[in-house]
C-alpha cells in the first residue's frame, strides 16, 4: 500500500515568484506544481496531501506562534499519515527545526523540513530535488525524528544551522554528523537516528515567553547587558567566546549577570564558535560567568537553546528545574 505524506507549505523561496520588490510568496502556485510532477506517479512516491498556509510567509516573518501552529497541525493529522514534510523558508528553518522536536513529544514518524535557495519557478533550481528527496525519505525510511532534509544531507533538526546564504548545501549540523547522506543512494546512518519513542505523540504547548539571545563583543558595555536583562526577560542565550568565556576585567558586566540570575533569569552560555562545546571551568574568564549564575549550554546551537528555553518556560516549571533540563539532553540536541 502507498504511504501517505502530509505536506505543510508555510512559505519561503521554494514557492515564490518574482515581483517588482523581489521574490514573494505566490498562493496556489507551489501546490499546483507539486501535484502535477510526473515523479509523483512512481511507486516509490507516497500519496500526498498539501496544506497551504494563509498567509504564506517569508520565514523572516515567522514567530514561535507559527512553530506551535505547525506542531498542532502535525498533531491533528498524526494518525492519518506516515510522514510529514514542512516546506519552509531557509532563513529561519533551523529555528523551526529546533523548536518542533520539543513540542512533538513522543514523535514516532518522520517530520522533514525542506525548502530551497532557488524557487521552483526558475529553470535551474534546487526546489524540485529537495521536494522529491524529502518525499522519498518520508515514504521509505523509518526515522522518528524532526529532520532538515536539504541538498545532500539529512540533518537532525535541533542540531541544524543555516551556514550559507547562497550555497545549495545551505545547512550543517556542526556538532553531529548527518543522519543521512543523499547521493546516488540515500544512506541513513541508523546508529545516529533516535530510537522509536515509548509513548505516543503528545503536542506540548508553546506559550509566549520572554527569552532572547545576546552576543558578546569586545568592549560590550555592562549597561547594554543590564538593559537587555530587565524584566520581563525570563531567559537569555549568551553567545560567549570560545569555550564559553566572557570579560572578567569588567566587574559591572559580571554584576549585571549576577543581579539577573539572582532574580531568577536563566542565562545559558552558548559559544559563538560553529563547532565544539562550552566548558565553563577551562578558563578563569568562564569560571567567573559560572559564579555569576550562568549555566552551560554545552554544544547546543543557539537556535536549539533558544527554542528549548521557550519550551521549558512554557511548561511553567520552577527555575531550578528549567536550569537542570537546559543542561540535560531531551531530544538529541546536546552532548554533555
Ligand atoms: N527569505 C526566504 C525565507 O526564509 C529565504 C528562503 O526561503 O531561502 O523565507
Amino acid at each position: 500500500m502507498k504511504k501517505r505524506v502530509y505536506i505543510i507549505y508555510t512559505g519561503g523561496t521554494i514557492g515564490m515568484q518574482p515581483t517588482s520588490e523581489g521574490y514573494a510568496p505566490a498562493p496556489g502556485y507551489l501546490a499546483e506544481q507539486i501535484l502535477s510532477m510526473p515523479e509523483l506517479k512512481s511507486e516509490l512516491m507516497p500519496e500526498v496531501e498539501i496544506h497551504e498556509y494563509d498567509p504564506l510567509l517569508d520565514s523572516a516573518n515567522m514567530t514561535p506562534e507559527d512553530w506551535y501552529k505547525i506542531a498542532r497541525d502535525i498533531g491533528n493529522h498524526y494518525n492519518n499519515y506516515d510522514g510529514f514534510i514542512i516546506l519552509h523558508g531557509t532563513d529561519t528553518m533551523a529555528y523551526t527545526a529546533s523548536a518542533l522536536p520539543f513540542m512533538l513529544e513522543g514523535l514516532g514518524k518522520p517530520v522533514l523540513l525542506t525548502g530551497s535557495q532557488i524557487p521552483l519557478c526558475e529553470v535551474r533550481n534546487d526546489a524540485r530535488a529537495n521536494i522529491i528527496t524529502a518525499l522519498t525519505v518520508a515514504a521509505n525510511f523509518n526515522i522518528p525524528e524532526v529532520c532538515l532534509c536539504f541538498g545532500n544531507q539529512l540533518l537532525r533538526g535541533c542540531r541544524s544551522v543555516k551556514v550559507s546564504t547562497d550555497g545549495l548545501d545551505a545547512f550543517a549540523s556542526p556538532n553531529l554528523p548527518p543522519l543521512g547522506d543523499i547521493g546516488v543512494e540515500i544512506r541513513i546512518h541508523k546508529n545516529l537516528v533516535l530510537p522509536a519513542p515509548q509513548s505516543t505523540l503528545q503536542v506540548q504547548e508553546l506559550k509566549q515567553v520572554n527569552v532572547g539571545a545576546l552576543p558578546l563583543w569586545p568592549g560590550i558595555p555592562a549597561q547594554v547587558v543590564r538593559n537587555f536583562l530587565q524584566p520581563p526577560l525570563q531567559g537569555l542565550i549568551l553567545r560567549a567566546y570560545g569555550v564559553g568565556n566572557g570579560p572578567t576585567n569588567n566587574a559591572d558586566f559580571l554584576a549585571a549577570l549576577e543581579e539577573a540570575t539572582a532574580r531568577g533569569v536563566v542565562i545559558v552560555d552558548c559559544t559563538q564558535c560553529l563547532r565544539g562545546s562550552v566548558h565553563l571551568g577551562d578558563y578563569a574568564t568562564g569560571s567567573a560567568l559560572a559564579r555569576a549564575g550562568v549555566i552551560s549550554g554545552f554544544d547546543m546551537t543557539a537556535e536549539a537553546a533558544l527554542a528549548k528555553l521557550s519550551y521549558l518556560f512554557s511548561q511553567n516549571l520552577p527555575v531550578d528545574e528549567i536550569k537542570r533540563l537546559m543542561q540535560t539532553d531531551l531530544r538529541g540536541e546536546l552532548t554533555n
Side-chain angles (χ1 to χ4, degrees), residues 11-14 16 57-60 88-92 116-117 162:
T13 293
I14 192 162
M16 289 188 185
L57 293 177
D58 183 306
S59 74
H88 196 291
T90 61
D91 287 348
T92 66
S116 69
Q117 294 278 57
K162 186 173 179 183

Side-chain angles (χ1 to χ4, degrees), residues 90-98 117 148 150 153 155-165 167 169-176 239 271-275 299-305:
T90 61
D91 287 348
T92 66
M93 191 186 292
Y95 286 89
T96 306
S98 295
Q117 294 278 57
L148 204 150
F150 206 97
Q153 296 178 312
L155 308 172
R156 175 165 299 153
C158 55
R159 291 283 194 163
S160 64
V161 285
K162 186 173 179 183
V163 291
S164 173
T165 60
D169 267 324
F171 293 89
S173 59
N175 285 327
L176 189 80
R239 308 288 314 273
T271 177
Q272 294 179 12
C273 296
L274 189 56
R275 250 178 237 108
D299 63 348
M300 270 188 294
T301 62
E303 288 87 337

Side-chain angles (χ1 to χ4, degrees), residues 78 82 106-110 142-145 196-197 199 201:
Y78 191 70
D82 302 291
L107 179 69
K109 300 179 181 183
N142 196 3
I143 303 171
E145 288 206 36
S199 54
L201 183 80

Side-chain angles (χ1 to χ4, degrees), residues 49-209:
E49 180 171 328
I50 305 176
H51 179 191
E52 177 178 297
Y53 282 5
D54 179 20
L56 289 168
L57 293 177
D58 183 306
S59 74
N61 285 321
M62 288 181 98
T63 67
E65 255 179 74
D66 297 300
W67 305 342
Y68 185 39
K69 174 180 168 182
I70 297 169
R72 283 197 318 258
D73 197 355
I74 291 171
N76 291 337
H77 294 89
Y78 191 70
N79 293 332
N80 298 330
Y81 294 87
D82 302 291
F84 299 84
I85 292 176
I86 302 158
L87 301 176
H88 196 291
T90 61
D91 287 348
T92 66
M93 191 186 292
Y95 286 89
T96 306
S98 295
L100 285 173
F102 296 109
M103 287 179 278
L104 299 176
E105 190 178 299
L107 179 69
K109 300 179 181 183
V111 171
L112 311 176
L113 288 103
T114 195
S116 69
Q117 294 278 57
I118 311 173
L120 187 68
C121 68
E122 299 293 345
V123 173
R124 194 180 69 84
N125 69 72
D126 55 333
R128 188 177 201 91
N130 284 348
I131 293 168
I132 300 292
T133 302
L135 283 168
T136 310
V137 173
N140 297 286
F141 296 92
N142 196 3
I143 303 171
E145 288 206 36
V146 175
C147 298
L148 204 150
C149 183
F150 206 97
N152 296 329
Q153 296 178 312
L154 185 74
L155 308 172
R156 175 165 299 153
C158 55
R159 291 283 194 163
S160 64
V161 285
K162 186 173 179 183
V163 291
S164 173
T165 60
D166 55 6
L168 300 187
D169 267 324
F171 293 89
S173 59
N175 285 327
L176 189 80
L179 302 185
D181 294 307
I182 319 284
V184 171
E185 285 175 30
I186 296 178
R187 288 217 171 82
I188 304 297
H189 307 300
K190 289 203 183 113
N191 56 321
L192 294 174
V193 175
L194 293 176
Q198 304 293 326
S199 54
T200 177
L201 183 80
Q202 281 219 315
V203 179
Q204 298 296 327
E205 189 178 359
L206 200 68
K207 295 185 183 143
Q208 290 253 330
V209 296

Side-chain angles (χ1 to χ4, degrees), residues 249-277:
N249 56 0
N250 183 342
D252 202 24
F253 164 78
L254 291 172
L257 296 178
E258 202 170 338
E259 285 157 22
T261 58
R263 283 200 310 271
V265 178
V266 177
I267 306 182
V268 185
D269 189 320
C270 284
T271 177
Q272 294 179 12
C273 296
L274 189 56
R275 250 178 237 108
S277 186

